[in-house]
Amino acid sequence: MPRQSRSSLARFFQRRSTPGGGARPTSNDARRQTLAHLGEFISSRVGVEAYVEPPTTDIPSTILLVASTGEWTRRRVPDERTAFDIANQLGVPVYNVRFTGYPQRMRDWNSAQRKK
C-alpha cells in the first residue's frame, strides 16, 4: 500500500474534534462536569438514591440517580468502584442494580413520560 494511502486512511479513523473546533475535555474536566451534574440533580430533588450499573460490551459502568418521583439521570463512570465512591461522596444511599434491580418508581415515571 502506498504511503499516502496509509496516512489518509489513518486520518479517516482519527477522532474528530468537538463542534466548534475546541479541544476535548480532559478526564478531570469530565469528572468535574459529571459531579456537578449529579450534585445539581441531588440538590434539586427529594429522596435521591444511586444505583450502580455494571459495564456492558458497549458501555462502561454507569451511576444512575433516581429521585422519589422516579425521575432519573445516568452518567458513565470508569468502573463500579468509582460509582460507589461518587455516591458516597455525594451522600446518597447506593445500591448495586445487579442485586436490587431498578426501582418501580423509575419504571412508573418512564411509562408516564411515554404517554405524554
Side-chain angles (χ1 to χ4, degrees), residues 63-101:
I63 184 168
L64 173 74
L65 298 182
V66 183
S68 61
T69 60
E71 186 178 2
W72 58 273
T73 188
R74 174 184 286 131
R75 289 294 181 266
R76 293 179 182 187
V77 291
D79 54 42
E80 291 179 73
R81 180 77 252 153
T82 302
F84 279 99
D85 291 344
I86 289 171
N88 288 326
Q89 180 182 346
L90 294 170
V92 295
V94 59
Y95 307 99
N96 189 326
V97 81
R98 286 181 185 151
F99 303 117
T100 62

Side-chain angles (χ1 to χ4, degrees), residues 1 9 17 23 28-29 31 33 35 41 43-44 46 49 53 55-56 58 64 66 82-83 93 100 105 109 114-115:
M1 182 177 242
L9 187 59
S17 62
N28 284 341
D29 291 338
R31 181 178 173 85
Q33 290 171 357
L35 288 173
F41 186 87
S43 66
S44 62
V46 176
E49 297 176 328
E53 298 176 306
T56 65
D58 298 329
L64 173 74
V66 183
T82 302
T100 62
R105 66 183 181 277
W109 189 84
R114 280 188 219 111
K115 292 178 183 176

